Amino acid sequence: GSGGNYGLWLEGVDGAYSNITISNTTQSSLLIAGNSNPLTWLDASIILNSSPSPWTIRTIFPVSIGSLGTADLGYTAGIGLVTNYLQLNNVIANTVLVADPLNTGGAGPASVWRVNSDVTIPAGVTLTINDGAIVKFDLARILNVSGTLNIVDIIPGGAKAVLTSTRDESIGADADPTNSTLPAAGNWSRIELLTGSSINIDNAIVRYTQWGIRQSFSAVTSFSISNSEFREFNQYGMDLTTTNNALYTLNNVIVANANPGVNNSDGIRIANSGLRNITVDFDNVTVDTVGDSLDDSGIEIAITASSTLTGRFDNVTVRNTFGTGFRLENTTGGLVNPIFSGLDITNPGVGRYGLRLIGNNDGQTQPQVTGIAADGVTVVTNLIGDATAGSGGNYGLWLEGVDGAY
Protein backbone atom coordinates (compact mmCIF):
# COMPACT_ATOMS: atom_id res chain seq x y z
CA GLY A 1 0.00 0.00 0.00
CA SER A 2 3.00 2.34 0.00
CA GLY A 3 4.45 1.70 -3.43
CA GLY A 4 3.22 4.89 -5.08
CA ASN A 5 0.69 5.35 -7.85
CA TYR A 6 2.80 3.80 -10.62
CA GLY A 7 5.94 1.71 -10.64
CA LEU A 8 7.27 2.74 -14.07
CA TRP A 9 6.00 5.79 -15.99
CA LEU A 10 7.06 6.17 -19.63
CA GLU A 11 6.27 9.46 -21.37
CA GLY A 12 7.70 10.38 -24.77
CA VAL A 13 10.61 7.95 -24.44
CA ASP A 14 12.22 5.08 -26.35
CA GLY A 15 14.97 2.91 -24.83
CA ALA A 16 15.36 -0.70 -23.70
CA TYR A 17 13.61 -2.36 -20.74
CA SER A 18 14.24 -5.70 -19.01
CA ASN A 19 14.73 -7.34 -15.61
CA ILE A 20 12.21 -5.13 -13.80
CA THR A 21 10.02 -6.18 -10.88
CA ILE A 22 7.26 -3.84 -9.71
CA SER A 23 5.27 -4.42 -6.52
CA ASN A 24 2.60 -2.71 -4.39
CA THR A 25 1.39 0.14 -6.60
CA THR A 26 -1.91 1.89 -5.87
CA GLN A 27 -3.01 2.86 -9.43
CA SER A 28 -1.25 0.55 -11.88
CA SER A 29 2.14 -1.06 -12.28
CA LEU A 30 2.98 0.65 -15.57
CA LEU A 31 1.96 3.89 -17.30
CA ILE A 32 2.65 4.79 -20.91
CA ALA A 33 2.01 8.22 -22.43
CA GLY A 34 3.25 10.77 -24.96
CA ASN A 35 3.76 8.40 -27.93
CA SER A 36 6.42 6.42 -26.09
CA ASN A 37 7.90 3.65 -28.26
CA PRO A 38 10.49 1.42 -26.53
CA LEU A 39 13.05 -0.16 -28.85
CA THR A 40 13.39 -3.28 -26.70
CA TRP A 41 10.92 -4.66 -24.17
CA LEU A 42 11.46 -8.11 -22.66
CA ASP A 43 8.10 -9.26 -21.28
CA ALA A 44 9.38 -12.35 -19.53
CA SER A 45 11.65 -10.32 -17.27
CA ILE A 46 9.12 -7.60 -16.40
CA ILE A 47 7.29 -8.98 -13.37
CA LEU A 48 4.24 -7.23 -11.89
CA ASN A 49 3.05 -7.98 -8.34
CA SER A 50 0.25 -6.63 -6.12
CA SER A 51 -1.39 -3.95 -8.22
CA PRO A 52 -5.05 -3.18 -9.04
CA SER A 53 -4.14 -2.91 -12.74
CA PRO A 54 -1.13 -3.67 -14.92
CA TRP A 55 -1.32 -0.60 -17.18
CA THR A 56 -2.51 2.99 -17.41
CA ILE A 57 -2.75 3.90 -21.09
CA ARG A 58 -2.54 7.45 -22.48
CA THR A 59 -1.23 6.74 -25.96
CA ILE A 60 -1.17 4.12 -28.73
CA PHE A 61 0.11 0.86 -27.25
CA PRO A 62 3.48 0.23 -28.98
CA VAL A 63 3.86 -2.99 -30.97
CA SER A 64 7.35 -3.29 -29.48
CA ILE A 65 5.66 -3.96 -26.13
CA GLY A 66 2.74 -6.09 -27.28
CA SER A 67 -0.84 -5.97 -28.49
CA LEU A 68 -3.82 -5.19 -26.27
CA GLY A 69 -6.60 -7.76 -26.43
CA THR A 70 -4.11 -10.61 -26.90
CA ALA A 71 -1.86 -12.68 -24.64
CA ASP A 72 1.09 -10.39 -25.48
CA LEU A 73 0.56 -7.59 -22.95
CA GLY A 74 4.11 -6.60 -22.07
CA TYR A 75 4.52 -8.23 -18.67
CA THR A 76 4.58 -11.44 -16.67
CA ALA A 77 1.91 -11.59 -13.97
CA GLY A 78 3.30 -12.16 -10.49
CA ILE A 79 1.54 -12.50 -7.14
CA GLY A 80 -1.46 -10.25 -6.44
CA LEU A 81 -1.77 -8.59 -9.86
CA VAL A 82 -5.45 -7.88 -10.67
CA THR A 83 -6.43 -7.96 -14.34
CA ASN A 84 -10.00 -6.62 -14.31
CA TYR A 85 -9.22 -3.34 -16.05
CA LEU A 86 -6.77 -0.99 -17.72
CA GLN A 87 -6.82 2.64 -16.65
CA LEU A 88 -7.40 5.64 -18.91
CA ASN A 89 -6.95 9.13 -17.50
CA ASN A 90 -5.66 12.68 -17.89
CA VAL A 91 -4.62 14.20 -21.26
CA ILE A 92 -4.15 11.53 -23.87
CA ALA A 93 -2.34 11.16 -27.19
CA ASN A 94 -3.80 9.14 -30.08
CA THR A 95 -5.25 6.06 -28.42
CA VAL A 96 -7.35 3.02 -29.38
CA LEU A 97 -9.53 1.27 -26.78
CA VAL A 98 -10.04 -2.36 -27.81
CA ALA A 99 -12.53 -4.88 -26.45
CA ASP A 100 -11.28 -7.01 -23.54
CA PRO A 101 -7.85 -5.32 -23.48
CA LEU A 102 -6.37 -7.77 -20.95
CA ASN A 103 -7.66 -10.84 -22.80
CA THR A 104 -9.56 -12.26 -19.82
CA GLY A 105 -12.92 -13.00 -21.48
CA GLY A 106 -12.19 -16.68 -22.02
CA ALA A 107 -11.87 -17.34 -18.28
CA GLY A 108 -14.52 -14.94 -16.94
CA PRO A 109 -15.99 -11.49 -17.54
CA ALA A 110 -14.16 -9.49 -20.19
CA SER A 111 -11.69 -6.94 -18.89
CA VAL A 112 -12.67 -3.27 -19.21
CA TRP A 113 -11.27 0.24 -19.33
CA ARG A 114 -11.55 2.34 -16.16
CA VAL A 115 -11.59 6.15 -16.28
CA ASN A 116 -10.52 7.26 -12.80
CA SER A 117 -10.00 10.96 -13.56
CA ASP A 118 -11.28 13.33 -16.24
CA VAL A 119 -9.96 12.50 -19.70
CA THR A 120 -9.13 15.16 -22.30
CA ILE A 121 -8.75 14.51 -26.02
CA PRO A 122 -6.71 17.54 -27.16
CA ALA A 123 -7.02 19.23 -30.55
CA GLY A 124 -5.41 17.13 -33.27
CA VAL A 125 -5.72 13.91 -31.23
CA THR A 126 -8.12 11.01 -31.87
CA LEU A 127 -9.54 8.61 -29.32
CA THR A 128 -10.96 5.52 -31.03
CA ILE A 129 -13.20 3.12 -29.14
CA ASN A 130 -13.73 -0.18 -30.93
CA ASP A 131 -16.98 -2.12 -30.94
CA GLY A 132 -17.31 -4.37 -27.91
CA ALA A 133 -15.04 -2.20 -25.74
CA ILE A 134 -16.41 -1.45 -22.25
CA VAL A 135 -15.38 1.85 -20.67
CA LYS A 136 -16.37 2.45 -17.04
CA PHE A 137 -16.20 5.93 -15.51
CA ASP A 138 -15.68 6.77 -11.84
CA LEU A 139 -18.18 9.14 -10.21
CA ALA A 140 -18.51 12.63 -11.79
CA ARG A 141 -15.85 11.96 -14.45
CA ILE A 142 -15.93 13.81 -17.79
CA LEU A 143 -14.71 12.86 -21.24
CA ASN A 144 -13.63 16.24 -22.69
CA VAL A 145 -13.34 16.33 -26.47
CA SER A 146 -11.34 19.05 -28.25
CA GLY A 147 -10.02 16.64 -30.86
CA THR A 148 -11.85 13.65 -32.35
CA LEU A 149 -13.92 10.94 -30.66
CA ASN A 150 -14.58 7.95 -32.89
CA ILE A 151 -16.63 5.02 -31.65
CA VAL A 152 -16.44 2.64 -34.56
CA ASP A 153 -18.41 -0.41 -35.66
CA ILE A 154 -15.56 -2.48 -37.09
CA ILE A 155 -17.63 -5.64 -37.52
CA PRO A 156 -21.13 -4.64 -38.71
CA GLY A 157 -23.71 -5.87 -36.24
CA GLY A 158 -21.08 -6.67 -33.63
CA ALA A 159 -21.24 -5.97 -29.91
CA LYS A 160 -21.84 -2.34 -29.02
CA ALA A 161 -19.20 -0.29 -27.26
CA VAL A 162 -20.49 0.60 -23.78
CA LEU A 163 -19.66 3.75 -21.80
CA THR A 164 -21.03 3.28 -18.30
CA SER A 165 -20.45 3.67 -14.56
CA THR A 166 -17.84 1.80 -12.55
CA ARG A 167 -20.79 0.69 -10.40
CA ASP A 168 -22.31 -1.14 -13.37
CA GLU A 169 -21.51 -4.81 -12.84
CA SER A 170 -24.04 -6.03 -15.39
CA ILE A 171 -21.40 -6.04 -18.12
CA GLY A 172 -17.67 -6.76 -18.13
CA ALA A 173 -15.34 -7.21 -15.18
CA ASP A 174 -15.81 -5.32 -11.91
CA ALA A 175 -13.85 -2.05 -12.17
CA ASP A 176 -14.44 -1.09 -8.52
CA PRO A 177 -14.42 -4.25 -6.37
CA THR A 178 -14.51 -2.24 -3.12
CA ASN A 179 -17.94 -0.75 -3.95
CA SER A 180 -21.19 -2.72 -4.15
CA THR A 181 -23.55 0.25 -4.71
CA LEU A 182 -25.89 -0.19 -7.66
CA PRO A 183 -25.44 2.14 -10.66
CA ALA A 184 -27.77 5.11 -11.11
CA ALA A 185 -28.42 8.03 -13.42
CA GLY A 186 -25.85 10.74 -12.79
CA ASN A 187 -22.99 8.48 -11.65
CA TRP A 188 -20.56 9.87 -14.19
CA SER A 189 -20.88 13.27 -15.79
CA ARG A 190 -20.80 13.40 -19.60
CA ILE A 191 -19.13 13.55 -22.96
CA GLU A 192 -18.30 17.27 -23.26
CA LEU A 193 -17.87 18.71 -26.77
CA LEU A 194 -15.45 21.64 -26.80
CA THR A 195 -14.62 24.03 -29.64
CA GLY A 196 -12.96 22.25 -32.55
CA SER A 197 -14.21 18.83 -31.58
CA SER A 198 -15.47 16.17 -33.96
CA ILE A 199 -17.66 13.28 -32.85
CA ASN A 200 -18.61 10.14 -34.74
CA ILE A 201 -20.42 7.50 -32.69
CA ASP A 202 -21.65 4.27 -34.26
CA ASN A 203 -22.95 1.22 -32.37
CA ALA A 204 -22.61 2.40 -28.78
CA ILE A 205 -24.47 2.54 -25.47
CA VAL A 206 -23.91 5.50 -23.12
CA ARG A 207 -25.61 5.19 -19.73
CA TYR A 208 -25.71 6.37 -16.09
CA THR A 209 -24.63 9.95 -16.92
CA GLN A 210 -25.75 13.42 -15.93
CA TRP A 211 -25.73 14.45 -19.60
CA GLY A 212 -25.16 11.86 -22.28
CA ILE A 213 -23.56 14.51 -24.49
CA ARG A 214 -23.21 18.21 -23.73
CA GLN A 215 -22.12 20.95 -26.10
CA SER A 216 -22.05 24.07 -23.96
CA PHE A 217 -21.61 27.16 -26.15
CA SER A 218 -18.90 25.64 -28.32
CA ALA A 219 -18.17 25.17 -32.03
CA VAL A 220 -18.19 21.53 -33.14
CA THR A 221 -16.76 20.65 -36.55
CA SER A 222 -18.63 17.35 -37.05
CA PHE A 223 -21.47 15.58 -35.20
CA SER A 224 -22.82 12.20 -36.28
CA ILE A 225 -24.41 9.48 -34.12
CA SER A 226 -25.90 6.25 -35.43
CA ASN A 227 -27.13 2.89 -34.10
CA SER A 228 -26.64 4.02 -30.52
CA GLU A 229 -28.47 4.40 -27.20
CA PHE A 230 -28.29 7.06 -24.47
CA ARG A 231 -29.96 5.80 -21.30
CA GLU A 232 -30.37 6.60 -17.60
CA PHE A 233 -29.29 10.26 -17.47
CA ASN A 234 -30.45 12.81 -14.90
CA GLN A 235 -30.08 16.04 -16.90
CA TYR A 236 -30.27 15.76 -20.70
CA GLY A 237 -29.67 12.91 -23.08
CA MET A 238 -28.15 15.47 -25.48
CA ASP A 239 -27.81 19.18 -24.68
CA LEU A 240 -26.38 20.99 -27.70
CA THR A 241 -25.80 24.76 -27.82
CA THR A 242 -23.68 25.74 -30.79
CA THR A 243 -21.61 28.86 -31.42
CA ASN A 244 -21.04 28.06 -35.11
CA ASN A 245 -22.98 26.69 -38.06
CA ALA A 246 -23.77 23.07 -37.31
CA LEU A 247 -25.07 19.85 -38.85
CA TYR A 248 -26.52 17.36 -36.36
CA THR A 249 -26.98 13.86 -37.77
CA LEU A 250 -28.82 11.20 -35.74
CA ASN A 251 -29.73 7.86 -37.31
CA ASN A 252 -31.21 4.92 -35.40
CA VAL A 253 -30.74 6.53 -31.99
CA ILE A 254 -32.60 5.90 -28.71
CA VAL A 255 -32.64 8.43 -25.85
CA ALA A 256 -34.49 6.97 -22.88
CA ASN A 257 -34.83 6.48 -19.15
CA ALA A 258 -36.38 3.58 -17.30
CA ASN A 259 -38.32 5.72 -14.83
CA PRO A 260 -40.30 8.93 -15.44
CA GLY A 261 -39.95 12.06 -13.33
CA VAL A 262 -36.52 11.27 -11.90
CA ASN A 263 -34.55 14.53 -11.95
CA ASN A 264 -34.06 14.80 -15.69
CA SER A 265 -34.78 17.46 -18.26
CA ASP A 266 -35.23 17.20 -22.04
CA GLY A 267 -34.31 14.12 -23.99
CA ILE A 268 -32.67 16.16 -26.78
CA ARG A 269 -32.22 19.94 -26.73
CA ILE A 270 -30.70 22.00 -29.57
CA ALA A 271 -30.08 25.76 -29.32
CA ASN A 272 -27.81 28.41 -30.77
CA SER A 273 -25.68 31.27 -29.49
CA GLY A 274 -25.41 34.12 -32.00
CA LEU A 275 -26.37 34.12 -35.68
CA ARG A 276 -25.97 30.50 -36.84
CA ASN A 277 -27.25 28.14 -39.51
CA ILE A 278 -28.32 24.82 -38.02
CA THR A 279 -29.15 21.77 -40.13
CA VAL A 280 -30.72 18.62 -38.69
CA ASP A 281 -30.82 15.15 -40.19
CA PHE A 282 -32.80 12.92 -37.83
CA ASP A 283 -34.02 9.49 -38.94
CA ASN A 284 -35.39 6.72 -36.72
CA VAL A 285 -34.88 8.59 -33.46
CA THR A 286 -36.77 7.53 -30.32
CA VAL A 287 -37.08 9.58 -27.12
CA ASP A 288 -38.84 7.79 -24.27
CA THR A 289 -39.65 8.57 -20.62
CA VAL A 290 -37.93 11.90 -19.95
CA GLY A 291 -38.52 15.00 -17.87
CA ASP A 292 -39.52 15.78 -14.30
CA SER A 293 -41.51 18.99 -14.86
CA LEU A 294 -44.15 20.30 -17.25
CA ASP A 295 -41.50 22.54 -18.86
CA ASP A 296 -39.43 19.56 -20.00
CA SER A 297 -39.81 18.17 -23.52
CA GLY A 298 -38.88 15.01 -25.30
CA ILE A 299 -37.20 17.11 -27.99
CA GLU A 300 -36.78 20.89 -27.73
CA ILE A 301 -35.36 23.14 -30.47
CA ALA A 302 -34.84 26.82 -29.55
CA ILE A 303 -33.77 29.17 -32.36
CA THR A 304 -32.75 32.76 -31.53
CA ALA A 305 -30.73 35.70 -32.92
CA SER A 306 -32.12 35.43 -36.49
CA SER A 307 -30.50 32.02 -36.90
CA THR A 308 -31.89 29.42 -39.30
CA LEU A 309 -32.98 25.81 -38.95
CA THR A 310 -33.33 23.52 -41.95
CA GLY A 311 -33.31 19.78 -42.57
CA ARG A 312 -35.54 16.83 -41.69
CA PHE A 313 -37.00 14.96 -38.75
CA ASP A 314 -37.96 11.58 -40.25
CA ASN A 315 -39.52 8.71 -38.29
CA VAL A 316 -39.15 10.38 -34.90
CA THR A 317 -40.94 8.74 -31.97
CA VAL A 318 -41.49 10.63 -28.70
CA ARG A 319 -43.48 9.04 -25.88
CA ASN A 320 -44.08 9.21 -22.14
CA THR A 321 -42.71 12.71 -21.57
CA PHE A 322 -43.39 14.63 -18.37
CA GLY A 323 -44.00 17.74 -20.44
CA THR A 324 -44.47 18.41 -24.17
CA GLY A 325 -43.50 15.75 -26.68
CA PHE A 326 -41.79 17.95 -29.31
CA ARG A 327 -41.34 21.73 -29.00
CA LEU A 328 -39.88 23.96 -31.74
CA GLU A 329 -39.60 27.68 -31.02
CA ASN A 330 -38.27 30.43 -33.29
CA THR A 331 -38.09 33.67 -31.28
CA THR A 332 -36.37 35.89 -33.88
CA GLY A 333 -36.55 36.47 -37.63
CA GLY A 334 -34.43 33.67 -39.08
CA LEU A 335 -35.91 31.16 -41.52
CA VAL A 336 -37.02 27.95 -39.78
CA ASN A 337 -38.50 25.40 -42.19
CA PRO A 338 -37.65 21.82 -41.22
CA ILE A 339 -39.64 18.88 -42.57
CA PHE A 340 -41.39 16.51 -40.15
CA SER A 341 -42.33 13.15 -41.65
CA GLY A 342 -43.45 10.01 -39.86
CA LEU A 343 -43.80 11.57 -36.41
CA ASP A 344 -45.20 9.38 -33.65
CA ILE A 345 -45.81 11.44 -30.52
CA THR A 346 -47.78 9.74 -27.76
CA ASN A 347 -48.51 10.22 -24.09
CA PRO A 348 -47.20 13.73 -23.33
CA GLY A 349 -47.64 14.97 -19.78
CA VAL A 350 -51.02 15.87 -18.36
CA GLY A 351 -51.80 19.45 -19.42
CA ARG A 352 -49.01 19.53 -22.00
CA TYR A 353 -48.91 19.11 -25.76
CA GLY A 354 -47.91 16.66 -28.45
CA LEU A 355 -46.24 18.87 -31.09
CA ARG A 356 -45.92 22.59 -30.32
CA LEU A 357 -44.63 24.95 -33.04
CA ILE A 358 -43.98 28.59 -32.09
CA GLY A 359 -42.99 31.51 -34.33
CA ASN A 360 -43.16 35.32 -34.46
CA ASN A 361 -46.01 35.63 -36.93
CA ASP A 362 -43.50 37.09 -39.42
CA GLY A 363 -43.62 34.39 -42.11
CA GLN A 364 -40.19 33.03 -41.19
CA THR A 365 -41.35 29.93 -39.28
CA GLN A 366 -42.49 27.50 -41.97
CA PRO A 367 -42.37 23.91 -40.69
CA GLN A 368 -43.70 21.23 -43.00
CA VAL A 369 -45.50 18.42 -41.22
CA THR A 370 -45.89 16.16 -44.23
CA GLY A 371 -46.84 12.66 -45.27
CA ILE A 372 -43.98 12.39 -47.80
CA ALA A 373 -40.92 10.47 -46.64
CA ALA A 374 -37.33 11.44 -47.38
CA ASP A 375 -37.28 9.35 -50.55
CA GLY A 376 -39.93 11.66 -52.00
CA VAL A 377 -42.20 8.73 -52.86
CA THR A 378 -43.23 6.83 -49.75
CA VAL A 379 -46.34 8.12 -48.00
CA VAL A 380 -46.25 8.01 -44.20
CA THR A 381 -48.56 9.08 -41.38
CA ASN A 382 -47.79 11.61 -38.68
CA LEU A 383 -49.42 10.15 -35.58
CA ILE A 384 -50.05 12.43 -32.63
CA GLY A 385 -52.03 10.25 -30.29
CA ASP A 386 -52.71 9.07 -26.78
CA ALA A 387 -51.09 5.86 -25.60
CA THR A 388 -52.79 5.92 -22.20
CA ALA A 389 -56.35 7.22 -21.81
CA GLY A 390 -56.48 10.51 -19.92
CA SER A 391 -52.79 11.33 -20.12
CA GLY A 392 -52.37 12.50 -23.70
CA GLY A 393 -51.97 16.20 -22.97
CA ASN A 394 -54.32 19.12 -23.59
CA TYR A 395 -53.59 19.54 -27.31
CA GLY A 396 -52.12 17.29 -29.94
CA LEU A 397 -50.89 20.02 -32.30
CA TRP A 398 -50.40 23.65 -31.18
CA LEU A 399 -49.53 26.23 -33.86
CA GLU A 400 -48.58 29.71 -32.64
CA GLY A 401 -47.37 32.43 -35.01
CA VAL A 402 -46.27 29.94 -37.66
CA ASP A 403 -46.97 29.28 -41.34
CA GLY A 404 -45.90 26.10 -43.12
CA ALA A 405 -47.63 23.07 -44.63
CA TYR A 406 -49.51 20.29 -42.89
Side-chain angles (χ1 to χ4, degrees):
S2 59
N5 285 352
Y6 310 105
L8 175 62
W9 180 323
L10 308 178
E11 184 163 358
V13 300
D14 301 325
Y17 303 84
S18 63
N19 299 305
I20 301 169
T21 297
I22 299 173
S23 300
N24 297 318
T25 56
T26 58
Q27 293 285 323
S28 67
S29 299
L30 301 158
L31 183 152
I32 188 162
N35 297 308
S36 293
N37 189 20
L39 303 176
T40 304
W41 186 276
L42 301 182
D43 302 16
S45 68
I46 297 177
I47 313 299
L48 309 184
N49 300 308
S50 299
S51 176
S53 175
W55 283 103
T56 293
I57 308 292
R58 297 180 185 170
T59 192
I60 290 288
F61 198 69
V63 295
S64 59
I65 294 180
S67 178
L68 296 179
T70 73
D72 184 10
L73 296 167
Y75 61 84
T76 298
I79 298 171
L81 177 67
V82 181
T83 55
N84 284 3
Y85 61 85
L86 291 186
Q87 283 196 154
L88 181 76
N89 57 29
N90 210 272
V91 179
I92 61 173
N94 293 321
T95 307
V96 178
L97 308 189
V98 302
D100 192 13
L102 293 173
N103 195 38
T104 62
S111 58
V112 304
W113 297 85
R114 180 178 183 178
V115 176
N116 69 327
S117 71
D118 292 351
V119 169
T120 297
I121 307 171
V125 168
T126 298
L127 173 63
T128 300
I129 303 177
N130 288 353
D131 48 3
I134 302 166
V135 187
K136 297 189 176 184
F137 291 76
D138 281 11
L139 298 184
R141 296 309 175 194
I142 303 171
L143 176 55
N144 292 301
V145 185
S146 291
T148 299
L149 173 63
N150 283 336
I151 302 181
V152 295
D153 187 14
I154 297 174
I155 303 173
K160 291 183 183 295
V162 178
L163 282 65
T164 186
S165 164
T166 49
R167 293 178 173 178
D168 184 359
E169 298 180 19
S170 68
I171 186 169
D174 189 353
D176 188 8
T178 63
N179 194 312
S180 60
T181 305
L182 292 175
N187 277 171
W188 65 285
S189 188
R190 62 193 182 273
I191 300 170
E192 179 75 21
L193 304 184
L194 303 171
T195 292
S197 60
S198 175
I199 183 171
N200 177 30
I201 296 178
D202 186 13
N203 204 39
I205 298 172
V206 179
R207 64 191 183 206
Y208 300 121
T209 57
Q210 291 179 294
W211 295 262
I213 295 177
R214 190 176 78 165
Q215 177 190 1
S216 182
F217 297 91
S218 64
V220 173
T221 60
S222 176
F223 184 103
S224 176
I225 301 176
S226 56
N227 307 308
S228 296
E229 303 172 20
F230 294 78
R231 296 183 178 273
E232 310 316 320
F233 48 89
N234 70 1
Q235 293 291 329
Y236 296 84
M238 300 181 194
D239 185 10
L240 310 171
T241 301
T242 183
T243 59
N244 68 335
N245 299 336
L247 167 62
Y248 296 110
T249 300
L250 299 181
N251 183 37
N252 294 321
V253 172
I254 297 172
V255 177
N257 283 316
N259 300 302
V262 183
N263 298 322
N264 55 73
S265 298
D266 301 336
I268 300 172
R269 178 181 180 272
I270 297 176
N272 64 285
S273 175
L275 177 57
R276 311 298 170 202
N277 299 318
I278 299 174
T279 304
V280 291
D281 183 7
F282 283 29
D283 192 9
N284 290 312
V285 174
T286 297
V287 177
D288 192 358
T289 313
V290 298
D292 64 353
S293 80
L294 295 179
D295 292 328
D296 296 330
S297 301
I299 299 176
E300 179 179 5
I301 315 291
I303 303 301
T304 62
S306 297
S307 294
T308 66
L309 175 71
T310 60
R312 297 186 65 99
F313 297 97
D314 286 296
N315 308 308
V316 173
T317 298
V318 183
R319 55 186 177 231
N320 304 321
T321 55
F322 211 89
T324 296
F326 198 131
R327 176 187 172 102
L328 168 63
E329 183 170 8
N330 180 21
T331 60
T332 54
L335 180 63
V336 171
N337 63 350
I339 296 171
F340 297 85
S341 179
L343 289 181
D344 187 345
I345 304 177
T346 54
N347 219 24
V350 175
R352 295 290 93 182
Y353 326 106
L355 175 61
R356 187 176 183 188
L357 305 174
I358 307 169
N360 270 339
N361 195 28
D362 56 6
Q364 290 293 90
T365 306
Q366 306 170 16
Q368 301 174 59
V369 184
T370 176
I372 305 301
D375 61 14
V377 177
T378 305
V379 177
V380 296
T381 297
N382 292 289
L383 173 65
I384 303 175
D386 177 11
T388 304
S391 61
N394 281 358
Y395 311 109
L397 176 62
W398 179 328
L399 308 180
E400 183 174 347
V402 301
D403 299 327
Y406 303 84

